[in-house]
Amino acid sequence: MKRLLAFLLLLGGGIALLLLAIGDEAAVRANGSSRTAPPAPPATGIEIKQGSRVGATVSSSGSFRKPHYRTIVLPDGREKKEETFILNAKDSKTVDAGRQQLDGVEVQLFEDGKHAADLLARQAFVELGRDANGQPELQRDKDVDLRDAVFVTRPDSRMPGVRLEIGDARARVGDLELVIKTAPEQPVLLVVGGAAEGGADGRPAEPEDKRNARRRGTLRGKGLEARLPRDARSEMQRAEILIRRDPVLETGGAVVQSRGSMRYEEDMKAGTARVTLADGVQLDLRRGVSMSGLGDVKSTADDGSGMLSHVRGDQFTGWLLRSRQLVEGRERNELVWRRLMVTGAPASVDVAGGRLHTPRITVLPGPFGEPFLVTAHGGESRVEQTTLREGSKQKELFTGVSPQRIHLARPADFAGPLHRSFGFPEWTLGPLNDLRIVAFEGGSRIHSASSTLEASDGLQAFGSEGSDHAIARGFGNVRIEQKAKKDGDADLVATGNDGFWLRTTEDSELLRLGPPAADLADERASWRSHRYDVQHGGMSLAGQGAAQFERTGERDGKRDGKRSRERVDQRTRVWLRAPAAEISGRLTKQGLDLTGVRQLEATIEDEQVTALDVAGLPVRTAIVRGEETVHAATPRLLQIGPQSLRLLGASAPDPGSLWRDLPAQHARPTLDVVVAASTKAPGKRIAVVGPQIDVHHLGRTAAFVDATAVDGLRPTVTAQFENKDGKPPTTASFDAARLRLLPFAVTPETQQMHTGALRSVFGDLAFHTLGKPWLIVDDVRSFRLEDEQLGLVEGQGTRLLLSEGALAGVFFGDPDRGTPAEVRRTHKGRLITTSGARVRFFHEKEPRLQALRTFTGRSPHLLPTVTVHEPGKKGLLSHLRAVCRGDIEVLPESVVCHGPVTAQGIREDGSDDPDGVHLEAGNLIMERDGEGGQIVRALCKNVKAEYSGMTARSASLELDHKFSRLIARDPNDAVVTLPKGRTLTAPRIEVNYETWSFDLHHGGFAQKNPEGPGR
């Protein structure tokens, strides 16, 4: 619909001129130059009265041609005659008093002296009269009857391509307005735009091309009533047109129709107009439709496939704006659509694959008139997807709801015409041509059977026609819900207080909660105040800052022309960033709790965490496995395997580092393994601190800890083991180059495989040690174990192996360097130190130590050593060191050296005591007091002994500390030399080494002369 009002003004002028022309013709015929009264026809003609004379009538008939001119005053004062119309009638006659019939009427209308339009009618009936002076005039407020009237503009006029078919109509011409009416059932047709629709004879022109067809606008209906101003310069400047029934308005791909009426109203001065249709309104908008009617705007869908909407409602209102344009040097009056609105209870719109329900629908055009923006408003509006696109991977229908407005937009309809008008080819707008935008205002919601998107301040959706790719944005407080896809799974629920951004493709989804963390240095950036929460069954993540989630899943594939399911593992990538350390969460599938997190990156596949990288101030975690809980505090937490985590220290201080706010005491990771007490075993706690700690999950209820030194920083361990019967706990601590804490050496499943499905005494005994925790330590130093019964045990070695089940440990020396392992036990003030290639300590009712001479699987060996210190004691055996060629055992009741041994008395500081005992024997047994634990007797074989000037040789020797005596036995006679030269020889010799008294059995002695030879 273009230039509608200008055309109707011209039409109204044509009808008025038609009446005026007929009136002039009648006046000429009635007042001819003969001045003789023509014969009066019976009851026909125009009645004439002059003064008091009796009136007369004048009649006329036959064809005629009547031009009409108007006088125009030029700027220089001269006058110019300009032709305004030419009236042609094939025949005319007077039908009754004052009424004239014209047949075959053709009125040629002129604009600026140029033939511009034609008014055609099969017949016309008019009424003529005389004014007060007796001159012919048009009867005011009288109707003109038109039969089969058609109005057509010429192709080279200012309004080319306009055709109005009103059929039978009545026209009334007033001083200010023209009124045209038809019968209620009279069909009316108005065609605007395209090629000229007909010639002077009213016949249609040749068929036009598609371009002209796109430019055309048509209006059809039944029953016309129009009120039009007589002159564009008059004061009355409001035009009103009413089509009573079944109006259909078509403009370049837009079709609006109704069962009721259509009303057109325009303010001539403002240039604005409004079109209203009521009762059963239906509006169809197609892609590429031009609301302005510009002929050079190309449609991109000629086959109907570009249907934008099919709108139904109770009332349609369209707002138009009249504009003027110069085209090829000629001025064109145009009416351009500015807004379309459909009201219903509710109104409905059919879009591609869906339907919109709303109280009102408004359509706004782009700069060239295309329907750029469609808005649903007036209350709650709803978009429902009704069908799935063929070939789409989408499986569910979606519904969108807004309590305020829903906007549908096509960017190509806004930018496309502008680009094309400058000569851009169609392919340059390919992405824009397919882009669709849906915007929801207020507290909106998009949901399907399994998914929901909610936003308090509106939603926006961007999609491509014929594609599964889409982007959605939410504003304000948002909520995203994804229901479980199979039994046993949990729903996914994510919330945030500053919007979201969601991108979906054929096989992936990317969700961003809140603004992106673009500027890390800006302390006032909006992402820093965003808060969010994500829940998935027992899994949860909550925090402040930026959050991003990317998920990939299943997709359909085709093989050999047949559709098949191609399985792709479901994978979710998580990226979180907090201003400080506000992130916390729980990954229940891994038994992992997180707090104090500043940044988190994770990958989850089939509900299992497969990659994890977390930074915090520090990160605190809790891993629960049955009765065992592992607590960790670390600057960085890294997953290195499907069931493995690595705890790392912070990087060097850096203003841009994630750990710039980390307290110094938390620069290294710490790990606490806590096992709750149960009826089967007492509780325990092991704390590990080191630059790098690895935690590996073994089975369902166990964890393997591996701590390693980095750049000279060694891990340290402190442990506490509860004891039964209320005894004080056992504690242990050490540092090492590496330590490995194993929950077992043989898994419970392996034990069951070897012992059978049912538990048995044999199975429990056989695997008791292997099924309990083990500790492997490399380059152990500063080892300390304190126990009420065991005392203080200290040790060091190249490696340490501890077994909780056996209550035993082994220190290993270094076979390459020849460095022995060493264990010191302090109990009740007594110190026993053992060293060797390996040193074992274990608990079998009583504590035991064992020093071994050989390395495991290696040929080198080291001589074991045992050192005894009894502080404050001065006895012969209170301070002693023994070096043995065999193994050494420290038992509760004795110290046993298996093999040739050399023993030396020492001072309390560990240096050799020249006055102490010195033994060289085949073996050595030092017996201990059962109550006090001190060494009270020493037994040895094939011995040579020295003490305080005394020497002894015998097959066996006994040193009795309790009675301060030495007993030597030898069937071949023992020999004991006392101080001052006395030599004792006997099978059995007993000497008190305090008083030097002695007792011989079947032997004798000799006295060396102290004065020298000869005495």
Side-chain angles (χ1 to χ4, degrees):
M1 293 290 293
K2 66 177 181 178
R3 303 177 299 280
L4 178 60
L5 183 61
F7 139 70
L8 290 172
L9 284 173
L10 184 60
L11 173 62
I15 295 176
L17 293 174
L18 172 64
L19 296 177
L20 181 59
I22 297 173
D24 287 345
E25 176 67 18
V28 172
R29 296 287 181 94
N31 300 286
S33 58
S34 62
R35 298 188 181 273
T36 58
T44 63
I46 302 175
E47 183 180 358
I48 301 175
K49 292 184 179 181
Q50 294 184 353
S52 59
R53 290 181 298 173
V54 180
T57 60
V58 180
S59 64
S60 63
S61 63
S63 63
F64 63 89
R65 182 175 186 273
K66 175 65 178 179
H68 184 270
Y69 300 89
R70 67 174 178 172
T71 301
I72 300 176
V73 180
L74 299 176
D76 59 2
R78 294 180 300 165
E79 294 183 348
K80 174 185 176 182
K81 295 290 186 179
E82 185 178 86
E83 192 173 31
T84 57
F85 74 92
I86 299 176
L87 172 63
N88 294 290
K90 295 181 179 179
D91 194 9
S92 65
K93 63 181 179 180
T94 301
V95 293
D96 54 25
R99 284 178 58 82
Q100 192 78 9
Q101 173 181 326
L102 303 179
D103 295 328
V105 177
E106 177 182 339
V107 180
Q108 297 177 357
L109 303 175
F110 293 84
E111 292 179 349
D112 299 327
K114 183 177 180 180
H115 187 186
D118 296 296
L119 174 62
L120 311 174
R122 181 175 58 83
Q123 285 182 335
F125 298 89
V126 298
E127 290 191 31
L128 300 177
R130 293 285 180 174
D131 60 12
N133 297 321
Q135 298 297 321
E137 69 171 358
L138 177 67
Q139 291 283 58
R140 302 304 181 188
D141 301 326
K142 296 295 184 178
D143 293 341
V144 177
D145 288 345
L146 300 175
R147 300 289 187 269
D148 298 333
V150 177
F151 180 83
V152 181
T153 60
R154 306 289 296 180
D156 56 349
S157 68
R158 289 187 301 170
M159 301 171 293
V162 176
R163 177 184 178 86
L164 173 63
E165 299 178 6
I166 56 177
D168 298 343
R170 297 177 65 85
R172 177 177 296 180
V173 181
D175 293 336
L176 300 179
E177 66 177 6
L178 168 68
V179 179
I180 302 176
K181 294 182 180 180
T182 69
E185 298 298 323
Q186 174 65 49
V188 178
L189 173 64
L190 171 65
V191 180
V192 181
E197 294 293 329
D201 57 357
R203 293 175 299 177
E206 295 298 323
E208 66 278 84
D209 57 17
K210 290 184 178 181
R211 177 180 176 182
N212 284 328
R214 284 191 294 267
R215 296 172 55 189
R216 179 186 302 170
T218 63
L219 171 62
R220 61 170 57 90
K222 294 181 179 179
L224 173 69
E225 181 176 340
R227 291 181 176 272
L228 307 173
R230 283 288 309 274
D231 194 323
R233 294 167 293 182
S234 66
E235 291 297 326
M236 185 175 182
Q237 294 297 307
R238 184 175 183 83
E240 298 180 1
I241 301 173
L242 174 67
I243 293 182
R244 298 182 179 279
R245 287 186 49 195
D246 302 331
V248 178
L249 175 62
E250 300 183 40
T251 59
V255 179
V256 58
Q257 55 187 319
S258 72
R259 296 191 302 269
S261 62
M262 187 203 83
R263 181 178 296 274
Y264 175 91
E265 301 172 294
E266 179 175 355
D267 186 330
M268 287 282 298
K269 290 186 177 181
T272 59
R274 182 174 68 178
V275 179
T276 304
L277 284 80
D279 190 12
V281 174
Q282 179 175 307
L283 171 65
D284 294 332
L285 299 176
R286 298 178 184 271
R287 176 185 177 189
V289 58
S290 173
M291 300 174 74
S292 67
L294 289 178
D296 54 355
V297 177
K298 180 181 179 182
S299 172
T300 55
D302 297 320
D303 57 358
S305 61
M307 179 69 69
L308 171 64
S309 57
H310 188 67
V311 185
R312 296 183 180 88
D314 296 329
Q315 179 175 304
F316 166 85
T317 304
W319 285 266
L320 303 98
L321 177 65
R322 180 158 51 85
S323 64
R324 293 178 173 85
Q325 291 188 3
L326 288 177
V327 179
E328 297 179 354
R330 293 179 175 272
E331 182 182 277
R332 284 186 178 179
N333 260 327
E334 295 186 336
L335 285 177
V336 181
W337 289 111
R338 305 312 300 163
R339 184 158 62 115
L340 306 178
M341 184 175 72
V342 176
T343 304
S348 65
V349 185
D350 289 339
V351 295
R355 179 168 295 170
L356 172 65
H357 296 273
T358 179
R360 294 180 182 176
I361 299 171
T362 298
V363 182
L364 297 178
F368 287 89
E370 288 73 17
F372 164 64
L373 185 65
V374 179
T375 301
H377 59 102
E380 183 177 277
S381 301
R382 178 186 301 269
V383 175
E384 297 178 353
Q385 188 179 17
T386 56
T387 59
L388 297 176
R389 181 178 58 84
E390 184 178 357
S392 172
K393 304 304 182 294
Q394 181 185 341
K395 303 177 181 63
E396 299 174 344
L397 300 176
F398 281 86
T399 300
V401 179
S402 170
Q404 298 179 10
R405 292 173 179 264
I406 299 179
H407 304 281
L408 309 177
R410 294 171 177 260
D413 292 338
F414 185 84
L418 179 63
H419 285 72
R420 286 190 292 268
S421 67
F422 281 97
F424 284 83
E426 183 72 18
W427 59 267
T428 61
L429 301 174
L432 284 179
N433 286 333
D434 296 330
L435 181 60
R436 305 291 178 264
I437 301 175
V438 182
F440 301 79
E441 293 185 6
S444 306
R445 183 178 71 257
I446 300 177
H447 64 92
S448 67
S450 63
S451 300
T452 300
L453 301 177
E454 297 180 0
S456 63
D457 296 337
L459 287 164
Q460 294 177 354
F462 305 82
S464 297
E465 190 171 287
S467 172
D468 287 330
H469 295 220
I471 292 177
R473 297 179 61 193
F475 303 90
N477 296 322
V478 298
R479 175 185 173 88
I480 300 97
E481 181 177 352
Q482 178 70 54
K483 293 185 178 180
K485 294 184 177 181
K486 57 183 179 181
D487 294 339
D489 289 350
D491 295 348
L492 171 65
V493 179
T495 60
N497 68 348
D498 196 4
F500 72 83
W501 183 88
L502 174 64
R503 183 193 69 197
T504 63
T505 63
E506 180 180 347
D507 54 3
S508 69
E509 296 178 359
L510 178 60
L511 170 65
R512 186 183 68 223
L513 291 175
D519 189 354
L520 302 180
D522 187 358
E523 297 295 334
R524 295 177 297 177
S526 59
W527 70 273
R528 292 176 174 271
S529 59
H530 169 248
R531 301 198 64 86
Y532 59 88
D533 184 275
V534 180
Q535 302 285 337
H536 185 209
M539 302 176 66
S540 64
L541 287 172
Q544 183 172 331
Q548 182 171 297
F549 306 85
E550 182 178 12
R551 182 170 64 178
T552 58
E554 295 181 350
R555 63 172 178 260
D556 286 333
K558 287 186 177 181
R559 296 177 181 175
D560 301 328
K562 297 181 179 179
R563 183 169 297 278
S564 64
R565 173 70 65 185
E566 181 183 350
R567 173 68 181 181
V568 177
D569 293 337
Q570 188 177 76
R571 176 179 301 166
T572 301
R573 293 184 177 90
V574 181
W575 185 89
L576 308 176
R577 177 64 188 270
E582 297 87 353
I583 302 172
S584 61
R586 167 175 292 180
L587 302 179
T588 303
K589 294 293 184 180
Q590 291 288 349
L592 183 66
D593 287 336
L594 300 172
T595 58
V597 177
R598 188 172 214 169
Q599 180 170 296
L600 180 146
E601 298 181 32
T603 300
I604 303 173
E605 297 184 7
D606 293 333
E607 302 184 0
Q608 295 290 331
V609 178
T610 58
L612 182 67
D613 192 349
V614 186
L617 303 176
V619 180
R620 299 187 183 275
T621 68
I623 306 171
V624 180
R625 288 290 185 269
E627 297 175 348
E628 179 181 84
T629 303
V630 180
H631 297 276
T634 176
R636 187 181 182 190
L637 179 66
L638 184 67
Q639 182 157 337
I640 57 176
Q643 298 291 328
S644 301
L645 298 175
R646 173 166 292 170
L647 283 60
L648 295 172
S651 61
D654 182 355
S657 169
L658 291 170
W659 302 280
R660 61 182 179 272
D661 304 320
L662 179 69
Q665 64 269 28
H666 296 301
R668 290 196 298 171
T670 62
L671 184 71
D672 287 343
V673 181
V674 180
V675 179
S678 64
T679 57
K680 298 180 181 179
K684 60 183 177 182
R685 178 177 182 177
I686 301 174
V688 182
V689 180
Q692 177 179 306
I693 304 174
D694 295 344
V695 181
H696 308 275
H697 304 298
L698 305 176
R700 294 175 297 174
T701 60
F704 166 38
V705 178
D706 187 356
T708 308
V710 177
D711 296 333
L713 296 176
R714 298 162 59 88
T716 61
V717 176
T718 58
Q720 180 175 298
F721 302 90
E722 297 179 1
N723 291 312
K724 297 180 180 179
D725 304 326
K727 295 180 180 180
T730 299
T731 61
S733 64
F734 58 88
D735 68 89
R738 183 183 182 186
L739 66 94
R740 283 157 285 181
L741 177 60
L742 286 75
F744 40 70
V746 177
T747 65
E749 291 78 9
T750 304
Q751 298 177 41
Q752 188 177 28
M753 180 181 67
H754 284 277
T755 60
L758 300 177
R759 295 187 59 185
S760 65
V761 175
F762 167 75
D764 291 343
L765 292 176
F767 289 97
H768 176 74
T769 299
L770 298 178
K772 294 292 184 178
W774 287 70
L775 182 65
I776 303 173
V777 187
D778 293 343
D779 192 16
V780 61
R781 301 175 189 172
S782 305
F783 178 86
R784 290 175 59 89
L785 186 148
E786 293 185 72
D787 180 79
E788 183 181 42
Q789 186 176 5
L790 193 61
L792 172 63
V793 177
E794 301 173 280
Q796 63 184 25
T798 302
R799 175 165 292 180
L800 169 62
L801 179 62
L802 291 174
S803 171
E804 181 181 331
L807 300 177
V810 181
F811 284 87
F812 295 85
D814 189 344
D816 298 324
R817 298 182 180 181
T819 304
E822 182 179 278
V823 175
R824 298 175 300 277
R825 180 184 179 227
T826 302
H827 183 60
K828 296 182 179 180
R830 296 173 179 85
L831 172 63
I832 296 180
T833 303
T834 57
S835 65
R838 292 175 290 159
V839 179
R840 297 179 58 206
F841 64 95
F842 47 94
H843 198 283
E844 294 179 354
K845 295 184 180 180
E846 295 290 339
R848 299 179 62 180
L849 293 174
Q850 188 177 53
L852 307 177
R853 62 189 294 272
T854 60
F855 297 96
T856 303
R858 301 290 295 272
S859 58
H861 64 275
L862 293 175
L863 298 182
T865 301
V866 60
T867 302
V868 178
H869 277 293
E870 295 183 357
K873 303 292 184 180
K874 301 297 183 181
L876 179 68
L877 302 177
S878 297
H879 306 279
L880 186 69
R881 178 189 300 113
V883 179
C884 183
R885 295 182 180 275
D887 298 335
I888 298 176
E889 289 187 275
V890 180
L891 306 174
E893 67 281 357
S894 63
V895 177
V896 181
C897 298
H898 300 280
V901 60
T902 298
Q904 175 65 49
I906 58 176
R907 296 188 177 98
E908 290 193 20
D909 62 1
S911 62
D912 290 349
D913 185 359
D915 296 327
V917 65
H918 178 81
L919 300 174
E920 295 181 5
N923 67 351
L924 174 63
I925 299 175
M926 292 178 282
E927 295 181 348
R928 309 170 69 180
D929 184 0
E931 295 181 1
Q934 69 272 21
I935 296 176
V936 296
R937 188 169 62 166
L939 302 173
C940 47
K941 302 289 187 180
N942 299 322
V943 63
K944 177 182 177 181
E946 296 181 3
Y947 173 68
S948 189
M950 176 187 70
T951 62
R953 291 177 181 274
S954 67
S956 65
L957 181 69
E958 177 181 345
L959 293 175
D960 190 342
H961 176 65
K962 186 175 183 180
F963 298 101
S964 301
R965 64 182 180 178
L966 177 150
I967 302 174
R969 297 181 179 88
D970 192 332
N972 297 320
D973 289 334
V975 178
V976 177
T977 301
L978 300 177
K980 299 182 180 180
R982 288 178 291 181
T983 301
L984 308 177
T985 303
R988 182 181 184 278
I989 302 173
E990 182 176 334
V991 178
N992 186 315
Y993 51 79
E994 294 289 340
T995 64
W996 300 115
S997 60
F998 57 86
D999 185 14
L1000 300 176
H1001 297 271
H1002 307 289
F1005 73 94
Q1007 176 68 51
K1008 184 178 180 180
N1009 185 2
E1011 302 283 334
R1015 298 224 27 204

